[in-house]
Amino acid sequence: MSSYFRPSIEAMTGYIPGEQPKPGTPIIKLNTNENPYPPSPAAMQALQSIDAEQLRRYPHPFANDFRQAISEVLDLPLDWIIVGNGSDEILNVIIRACAEQQRPVVYPTPTYVLYKTLAAMQPADLIEIPYGENYQLPIEALIAANGAVTFIASPNSPSGHSVDNAALRQLASRLNGLLVIDEAYVDFAESSALSLVQDCPNVIISRTLSKGYSLAGLRLGFGIAQPELLSGLFKVKDSYNIDAIACAVGSAAMRDQDYKTLCSERVKASRAKLAVDLKQLGFQVPHSQTNFLFVTSPKGHAEALYLGLKECGILVRYFNQPGLDDKLRITVGTDTQNQSLLEALIHLV
Ligand SMILES: *Cc1c(COP(=O)(O)O)cnc(C)c1O
């Protein structure tokens, strides 16, 4: 029987997002790395102030108010910034613009699963290279793979580690294709690779308001690169990819850096405390540069822990795949949420 779909779409598995229970369900949601704190009051004020005229008209095609806010905060020219409907759209546009068969997508694993999904739908060749011992970046293999696009999530999910800038710089200088540094978790990290875009014409940094700014529901992200790199991406993105509401709310959130810093400092303090408490329960807890911990269960039975926690109304992320199936990825919640998690775990480990 013939199919409605291209063979690559027929063959691929769709991206499976983390479970999203209905709002109002009494659940402690530590599975998709949302920020436990509400968005900035200034952002909520901007939402209240949306008027009919803003909705009647098409939005600005490049979300210039939001770009302006980013430009002020990061001290970058406007034309070094592209805005996306979530950073997922930035990743999607990069693949659509650059990758196909014979022009591979390359990344070290384990990492964000969406890269694979996006490559499959293009379709683009895919080369996955496992991280070395202690998440050593496999630089030579990444270079040899000669990707049209190489993705490095730094800090990475699910591992929580960061790749140092010297390694990223070396990679960028030796790659022919694009190097995408996915900084979705940068707001919880000790450093950033932002300075690389000045010297490396093939580097694009992608960031999101979903994690650090508590705005996962708004769908807003952005990319930073030299204008020549962005010019190809602007051709590919939807002409009105950012709606007027997201642009207004996101601009206010971006300008309220004090609030974002306050929330991420809280998350980092809770992360440190939760790491100590989980170690006390026998978990291995590697250092995290993100708003989650990727912990190894003392007895290897991570799926049982995941299911046991779910029974208690606590969702965490379990990856049913070799190398990851003795681990849980646990989003750092408020101290109260983390305490509930620990109390449930005491009975399960
Ligand atoms: C959450 C996440 C994203 C997606 O961010 P959105 O802006 O919500 O699309 C991108 N990359 C990584 C590694 C993430 O964990």
Side-chain angles (χ1 to χ4, degrees):
M1 202 187 89
S2 70
S3 163
Y4 291 128
F5 307 114
R6 290 185 283 115
S8 55
I9 302 302
E10 199 57 64
M12 70 180 278
T13 323
Y15 180 74
I16 303 170
E19 295 155 80
Q20 294 291 356
K22 273 203 201 123
T25 319
I27 208 145
I28 298 182
K29 203 173 163 308
L30 305 178
N31 65 334
T32 53
N33 302 338
E34 287 125 336
N35 198 304
Y37 300 107
S40 147
M44 296 314 291
Q45 187 57 51
L47 182 61
Q48 302 288 325
S49 315
I50 301 286
D51 64 24
E53 186 62 6
Q54 272 170 287
L55 298 185
R56 188 185 66 78
R57 288 196 188 190
Y58 279 102
H60 191 283
F62 309 115
N64 261 8
D65 285 349
F66 181 54
R67 278 172 107 200
Q68 184 60 43
I70 299 166
S71 155
E72 288 162 19
V73 168
L74 298 181
D75 195 18
L76 286 166
L78 216 60
D79 61 354
W80 287 50
I81 301 162
I82 184 170
V83 183
N85 188 4
S87 63
D88 285 352
E89 191 202 11
I90 302 287
L91 307 175
N92 188 2
V93 164
I94 291 168
I95 291 194
R96 284 206 281 159
C98 304
E100 60 182 338
Q101 276 149 2
Q102 323 292 326
R103 295 179 60 91
V105 169
V106 179
Y107 51 82
T109 58
T111 192
Y112 190 35
V113 175
L114 186 73
Y115 307 145
K116 181 180 189 145
T117 312
L118 294 172
M121 71 177 80
Q122 181 68 347
D125 288 349
L126 181 67
I127 303 176
E128 299 184 325
I129 298 168
Y131 267 107
E133 195 75 16
N134 295 317
Y135 293 101
Q136 191 69 33
L137 191 72
I139 289 196
E140 296 304 327
L142 289 168
I143 291 161
N146 195 21
V149 184
T150 304
F151 286 101
I152 307 283
S154 179
N156 188 44
S157 172
S159 63
H161 83 285
S162 279
V163 177
D164 71 67
N165 279 354
L168 291 172
R169 193 176 285 276
Q170 195 196 345
L171 191 57
S173 67
R174 293 176 60 199
L175 284 172
N176 296 311
L178 292 195
L179 175 61
V180 184
I181 305 173
D182 181 346
E183 290 196 333
Y185 296 101
V186 72
D187 301 303
F188 311 101
E190 279 149 32
S191 66
S192 151
L194 187 61
S195 63
L196 265 70
V197 295
Q198 302 287 348
D199 315 325
C200 310
N202 61 338
V203 166
I204 177 163
I205 307 253
S206 94
R207 292 193 176 180
T208 177
L209 274 70
S210 297
K211 317 272 165 56
Y213 296 80
S214 311
L215 287 169
L218 192 66
R219 310 307 303 130
L220 203 55
F222 56 97
I224 303 153
Q226 296 185 13
E228 198 189 335
L229 192 166
L230 295 187
S231 66
L233 306 184
F234 279 117
K235 293 184 200 166
V236 174
K237 79 168 190 66
D238 286 349
S239 17
Y240 299 107
N241 59 334
I242 304 304
D243 65 77
I245 299 172
C247 185
V249 175
S251 306
M254 183 54 56
R255 291 196 166 98
D256 194 356
Q257 286 295 305
D258 288 351
Y259 180 83
K260 186 214 62 175
T261 306
L262 179 76
C263 293
S264 36
E265 288 304 322
R266 274 194 200 152
V267 168
K268 287 194 277 181
S270 302
R271 177 179 76 193
K273 183 173 182 315
L274 181 61
V276 170
D277 293 341
L278 286 169
K279 279 181 197 161
Q280 223 135 47
L281 287 180
F283 286 89
Q284 277 175 43
V285 188
H287 185 65
S288 168
Q289 296 273 318
T290 64
N291 66 337
F292 57 81
L293 295 171
F294 193 49
V295 304
T296 305
S297 156
K299 298 190 193 112
H301 59 326
E303 184 169 25
L305 287 181
Y306 157 73
L307 292 171
L309 285 172
K310 201 168 172 178
E311 297 250 301
C312 303
I314 302 173
L315 283 183
V316 299
R317 192 73 182 260
Y318 165 70
F319 300 92
N320 188 7
Q321 49 175 286
L324 304 181
D325 55 6
D326 59 341
K327 298 176 175 62
L328 294 175
R329 194 190 68 188
I330 304 174
T331 307
V332 177
T334 60
D335 284 337
T336 313
Q337 291 176 321
N338 300 339
Q339 197 53 41
S340 304
L341 168 82
L342 289 162
E343 279 157 23
L345 278 174
I346 286 168
H347 301 288
L348 295 169
V349 287

